[in-house]
Amino acid sequence: MVSEALRNTIPTERRLPFLALVGAVLAGGAAVIGVAVSQLPGASLPVAFWLMATIAVVADARPFTPPGRRQTLAVFPSICLTFAILLAWGLGPALAVQAAAVVVASWRMRHAVWRGLYNLGQYALAFGAAELVLQLGGARPYPLVGLSVGQVATVVVATIAWFTVKYGSVTLTIRLRFGESAWRLLRRTMVWEALTYGALLLLSPVLVAAAAASPALVPLVVVPLYAVYRMARLAEDLVGLTRRDPLTGLANRPALASAAAEQVTIHKDLAARGDPASRFGLLLVDLDRFKNVNDALGHEVGDQLLVEVGARLQATVGPRDLVARLGGDEFAVLAPRLSGAAEARAFAGRLAAALAEPVRLEGLPLDVSGSIGVAVWPDHGAEVAELLRRADVAMYDAKQRAAPVAVYSPESDHHTPQRLSLLADLRTSLEQPGADGVTMHYQPQVAVATGEIVGVEALLRWQHPVRGPVPPDQLIKVAEHTAVMRMLTLRIIDEVVAQLARWAAAGESVRASVNVSIRDLHTGDVAERIAGQLRRYGIPPRQLQLEITEGALMADPRRVLATIGALDRLGVAISLDDFGTGYSSLQHLRRLPLAEVKVDRSFVLGMAHDADDAAIVGSIVELAGALGLRVVAEGVEDAQTCQQLADAGCHVAQGWYYARPMPADELLPWLERYRKLADDLGGEKPHDNHLS
């Protein structure tokens, strides 16, 4: 009886239970209808019955369905009248009228034949349960007037039995048909169903009493029926205000969080059963350049754009997916039953493609694009809050890389609990100047042509009290996007200048290079701090040099130009670090007051066995020479590389071939040994093997 097309739309694991349920309801309903037919009265029924029957059939042409609900959740006003007929005239007349109402409603709503019969079967079972309660409770024959307290209680229990059978069978049907969580369905529909069904069923005994007084009172039931409809709709609207975004009509943040929590429960069960689609994705979508639309065309057009974007996302996703607006121009999509990150990325790619199509508003085609961050449960978080946070991290990663989609990666997450803990410990260490932990090591820089020590690079070290040595790159990643980075930079400047003063007092004048974050140069604080410390310790500005990474400089060269200019006027030299990896333009090299460029170690390390790396280093040396810049090669680890650098004309080298980074108190003894060895070797340049 169920169509082949319908069977094919139900997954295999639910198909057999669904068909079994349909068969059981049809069989049970047929049995109740058989009993009801035997109870049809032989005599003619009163006018009140015919009035109730007519209103019931007509009313079901317009069932109660709140906005956004499936038709499977519609409530039919006929039940008030057919339940009243059940009370007054028995099971046979009640089911006869209900059958007529089902025919009208099915025709009006274009239901398939099997569905109309299935609905009638549900009604038959519900009325059969109510009739059984009435029989057992002594409410047969039903007294039209003068009900006792016990009989009233029996009627209430009968309505509960009717509701339990009807609502329970509908919930189970939807669960098997659409795969929706029964608990989620109960929570989502219970208020609406209980209010409407309860009000309609409990209105029935009042209607019976009114009909007994005068059939003319029966048509007045239309007014309370409409009131029930309005009451239920208002209740739904009130619930919706807390679950829906008022502008787009999409789910809001609380609704998304609730739905995601339910998906955690569902997918834990799927994972336990070994289902390959045991993951779900949470995608955050942030529109690009939305502020430009608001500024240029006004907030009204901006709101229209948000509505259109919401509709476009909704049209792109599947029936199981949930689209939500979180606020502003940020949307979210909950995508269940995924196999992993690759499928989630492909899904996000389809959303990005849908957003890329221009939107025509106010006669203008507006280009809309978005950055989409993807997090997958449980790979990227077992809890909803963690999943949301990591989807947000991925979204900002996509924005920074100008990519439409990014999947969460721990490397992009600067605020994991571990990193936050590390950051707190770093802040504590920096707030205690005398405490051990944050220190500086120094690596000598050697003139390639002469072997003379021309400077040192100050390198950050941190000995964590529990974790031990923290790698410098990890330390910078933890601090660079926070206010702690400024504290760290100022601490390094103070420490290095003070150390230069201690060396000067010991008779050693040496230049020190210090690495700074590009964010430190966005204001003049660093230049002022350096000037103050140099004056305090009486250190010539030429003895301090700042290193700025090329990649960071390329991200925002204009904002740092003023600070670099101030440092240049002060006499502090600027070195461009990691040269060759940040795609500097010649325009930047020409405009910025640079003293040197440092060739990235990735090129220097490969010079001895890779002709391309050797050619790149040679080209950098030639370019820098043409611009009057000194060239420093870092990562020099063997004699062959050193000789190639000398042949290319490189000015300065540093690396393990000459010396490893060392604490400040070891530098002067090392310099003494190095210079003595240089005198002993004559023209040969000393290196680390000589000093070992």
Side-chain angles (χ1 to χ4, degrees):
M1 177 159 306
V2 181
S3 68
E4 186 67 27
L6 176 62
R7 284 199 297 269
N8 290 338
T9 62
I10 304 176
T12 305
E13 67 272 15
R14 297 199 309 269
R15 191 176 304 158
L16 186 58
F18 177 78
L19 294 176
L21 175 65
V22 171
V25 169
L26 290 176
V32 174
I33 291 172
V35 174
V37 169
S38 67
Q39 296 180 5
L40 286 172
S44 61
L45 293 167
V47 173
F49 166 80
W50 294 108
L51 285 172
M52 290 185 192
T54 301
I55 295 172
V57 173
V58 172
D60 269 15
R62 293 293 300 273
F64 300 164
T65 307
R69 295 294 195 194
R70 292 192 183 110
Q71 289 184 353
T72 47
L73 299 180
V75 174
F76 298 90
S78 63
I79 64 172
C80 171
L81 299 121
T82 53
F83 197 81
I85 292 173
L86 172 73
L87 295 176
W89 295 287
L91 183 62
L95 277 184
V97 175
Q98 192 65 67
V102 167
V103 171
V104 170
S106 297
W107 170 78
R108 174 79 175 174
M109 301 175 75
R110 297 188 175 133
H111 288 166
V113 174
W114 76 267
R115 184 168 171 183
L117 293 173
Y118 184 68
N119 288 341
L120 180 57
Q122 290 177 318
Y123 279 120
L125 291 175
F127 278 112
E131 175 66 17
L132 181 61
V133 171
L134 292 172
Q135 294 279 359
L136 295 175
R140 282 287 184 250
Y142 184 79
L144 298 180
V145 293
L147 274 76
S148 66
V149 174
Q151 289 169 329
V152 171
T154 298
V155 171
V156 171
V157 174
T159 63
I160 294 173
W162 191 103
F163 177 80
T164 301
V165 172
K166 183 68 170 70
Y167 184 63
S169 62
V170 169
T171 301
L172 186 55
T173 301
I174 295 174
R175 169 74 181 90
L176 294 175
R177 170 69 179 86
F178 298 102
E180 191 165 0
S181 163
W183 174 239
R184 178 183 177 187
L185 187 63
L186 286 171
R187 288 201 309 167
R188 188 166 60 86
T189 63
M190 179 60 79
V191 173
W192 161 257
E193 305 279 2
L195 280 174
T196 50
Y197 277 126
L200 291 172
L201 290 170
L202 293 176
L203 187 60
S204 299
V206 178
L207 178 60
V208 171
S214 171
L217 295 174
V218 172
L220 298 181
V221 76
V222 173
V223 176
L225 283 180
Y226 181 73
V228 168
Y229 167 69
R230 292 301 303 168
M231 178 182 65
R233 180 158 185 166
L234 285 173
E236 175 69 14
D237 290 344
L238 288 174
V239 172
L241 287 176
T242 65
R243 310 281 294 179
R244 295 274 159 192
D245 171 55
L247 176 64
T248 62
L250 299 172
N252 60 12
R253 186 180 290 272
L256 175 73
S258 176
E262 289 169 2
Q263 290 299 327
V264 169
T265 302
I266 293 170
H267 284 76
K268 280 182 179 177
D269 182 56
L270 292 174
R273 298 203 308 261
D275 193 312
S278 60
R279 288 167 169 76
F280 70 87
L282 186 59
L283 290 70
L284 290 190
V285 183
D286 189 83
L287 301 186
D288 300 328
R289 301 177 299 279
F290 176 71
K291 185 177 183 297
N292 296 345
V293 175
N294 274 341
D295 292 344
L297 302 177
H299 289 274
E300 213 172 292
V301 175
D303 287 348
Q304 293 178 35
L305 178 61
L306 292 175
V307 172
E308 175 61 29
V309 167
R312 189 172 289 188
L313 291 173
Q314 190 74 63
T316 306
V317 303
R320 291 178 177 174
D321 306 319
L322 174 71
V323 179
R325 179 180 175 232
L326 305 185
D329 61 341
E330 191 173 40
F331 295 81
V333 178
L334 186 64
R337 304 298 300 271
L338 299 175
S339 60
E343 187 177 356
R345 179 186 284 276
F347 178 77
R350 293 195 295 273
L351 293 180
L355 290 178
E357 293 294 324
V359 176
R360 183 166 290 277
L361 293 174
E362 299 290 317
L364 294 174
L366 301 179
D367 287 325
V368 181
S369 61
S371 301
I372 304 177
V374 180
V376 177
W377 181 94
D379 304 352
H380 302 142
E383 302 298 329
V384 173
E386 184 71 1
L387 209 60
L388 273 167
R389 191 188 71 77
R390 290 182 168 178
D392 194 55
V393 169
M395 184 266 289
Y396 277 104
D397 186 30
K399 275 196 178 298
Q400 289 179 353
R401 295 192 288 108
V405 176
V407 177
Y408 172 78
S409 170
E411 290 74 23
S412 303
D413 194 346
H414 305 289
H415 302 292
T416 62
Q418 294 80 8
R419 288 188 177 182
L420 290 175
S421 173
L422 201 63
L423 182 66
D425 293 341
L426 177 59
R427 178 186 286 274
T428 300
S429 181
L430 292 173
E431 288 173 346
Q432 301 171 359
D436 294 334
V438 176
T439 59
M440 303 304 298
H441 281 207
Y442 298 87
Q443 185 174 36
Q445 296 177 329
V446 181
V448 175
T450 65
E452 179 187 359
I453 303 299
V454 296
V456 294
E457 180 181 2
L459 299 168
L460 180 65
R461 296 291 184 267
W462 184 30
Q463 182 76 20
H464 190 276
V466 176
R467 305 184 191 195
V470 178
D473 57 342
Q474 182 180 345
L475 180 59
I476 296 302
K477 282 183 179 180
V478 166
E480 66 179 341
H481 296 286
T482 72
V484 176
M485 189 67 221
R486 181 175 181 275
M487 296 174 60
L488 183 60
T489 298
L490 297 182
R491 172 74 171 270
I492 291 171
I493 290 171
D494 294 351
E495 174 62 30
V496 170
V497 176
Q499 185 58 54
L500 289 174
R502 288 191 287 270
W503 285 333
E508 186 67 52
S509 177
V510 62
R511 184 187 71 221
S513 295
V514 178
N515 291 276
V516 294
S517 164
I518 197 68
R519 294 173 181 271
D520 297 326
L521 303 180
H522 284 172
T523 66
D525 291 355
V526 169
E528 293 174 4
R529 185 61 162 253
I530 289 174
Q533 292 297 94
L534 291 175
R535 285 194 302 269
R536 176 186 175 186
Y537 290 102
I539 299 298
R542 67 176 181 277
Q543 284 188 239
L544 187 66
Q545 178 171 278
L546 297 190
E547 294 188 7
I548 306 167
T549 63
E550 183 188 14
L553 179 62
M554 293 308 100
D556 198 352
R558 293 184 179 180
R559 291 187 64 182
V560 303
L561 189 57
T563 301
I564 290 177
L567 290 168
D568 180 59
R569 291 189 295 274
L570 182 64
V572 174
I574 305 296
S575 173
L576 192 57
D577 198 6
D578 298 339
F579 190 76
T581 62
Y583 309 105
S584 295
S585 70
L586 295 180
Q587 181 74 1
H588 288 127
L589 293 180
R590 186 178 64 83
R591 288 177 56 214
L592 295 174
L594 301 175
E596 73 176 24
V597 294
K598 294 189 73 174
V599 185
D600 187 69
R601 63 184 295 110
S602 62
F603 300 122
V604 177
L605 288 171
M607 285 183 68
H609 52 79
D610 191 317
D612 290 339
D613 284 345
I616 290 172
V617 173
S619 298
I620 292 174
V621 172
E622 187 176 350
L623 172 62
L627 294 171
L629 302 177
R630 183 171 59 246
V631 180
V632 179
E634 55 183 352
V636 180
E637 296 188 355
D638 55 61
Q640 183 178 347
T641 301
C642 187
Q643 185 59 51
Q644 286 179 283
L645 290 170
D647 294 341
C650 181
H651 304 102
V652 179
Q654 72 178 84
W656 286 12
Y657 178 69
Y658 293 106
R660 302 192 180 201
M662 63 191 74
D665 58 1
E666 295 180 10
L667 182 66
L668 294 186
W670 183 91
L671 285 174
E672 185 177 350
R673 292 197 308 273
Y674 181 88
R675 287 165 180 160
K676 182 178 183 302
L677 182 59
D679 292 340
D680 293 343
L681 293 175
E684 186 181 349
K685 305 181 195 67
H687 54 78
D688 190 58
N689 289 338
H690 291 136
L691 295 169
S692 300

